[in-house]
Amino acid sequence: MSSVHDEFLAANAEFAAKFEDGSLPLPPARHALVLACMDARLHVEKVLGIKNGACHCVRNAGGRASDDALRSIVISQRLLGTKEVHIVHHTDCGMLTFTNEQVFGYVYEVETGRIREVK
């Protein structure tokens, strides 16, 4: 395993030993969900002052309402009682530098050695 994996395991063990929020209710206390970009520079909880148990946070590339994000939003609202959805974008987002078609084309080319034709 990588050294990052080992670091994660050690950090998790330390976190778990001190974790005291297990008794918080499953539905988020503020009845809100935040959809945000997965950019490692963006710490959504710190930026918005979200404490454990307060909101659901869903992250993906670009903070987009993709099929999977929508699934999470539906579960959050219909099963866990959230009433609000907040979408957080940020400056200098890498997702603005390419299209989905370009990403798919790049992956296809790397995996197959062939250039993908876009129709």
Side-chain angles (χ1 to χ4, degrees), residues 48-84:
L48 300 179
I50 298 171
K51 305 287 187 224
N52 275 356
C55 296
H56 288 147
C57 293
V58 176
R59 297 182 68 165
N60 64 23
R64 300 294 181 236
S66 62
D67 289 348
D68 194 56
L70 289 173
R71 176 181 177 270
S72 295
I73 292 168
V74 167
I75 291 168
S76 179
Q77 288 191 325
R78 300 300 182 210
L79 302 180
L80 296 168
T82 58
K83 306 288 184 216
E84 300 176 13

Side-chain angles (χ1 to χ4, degrees), residues 74-117:
V74 167
I75 291 168
S76 179
Q77 288 191 325
R78 300 300 182 210
L79 302 180
L80 296 168
T82 58
K83 306 288 184 216
E84 300 176 13
V85 175
H86 301 270
I87 299 173
V88 177
H89 291 149
H90 64 97
T91 54
D92 197 28
C93 183
M95 286 298 294
L96 298 176
T97 64
F98 53 83
T99 66
N100 286 346
E101 280 296 320
Q102 288 171 318
V103 172
F104 297 145
Y106 170 76
V107 171
Y108 181 84
E109 185 176 338
V110 167
E111 293 299 318
T112 67
R114 300 188 315 254
I115 295 175
R116 180 173 175 247
E117 287 186 38

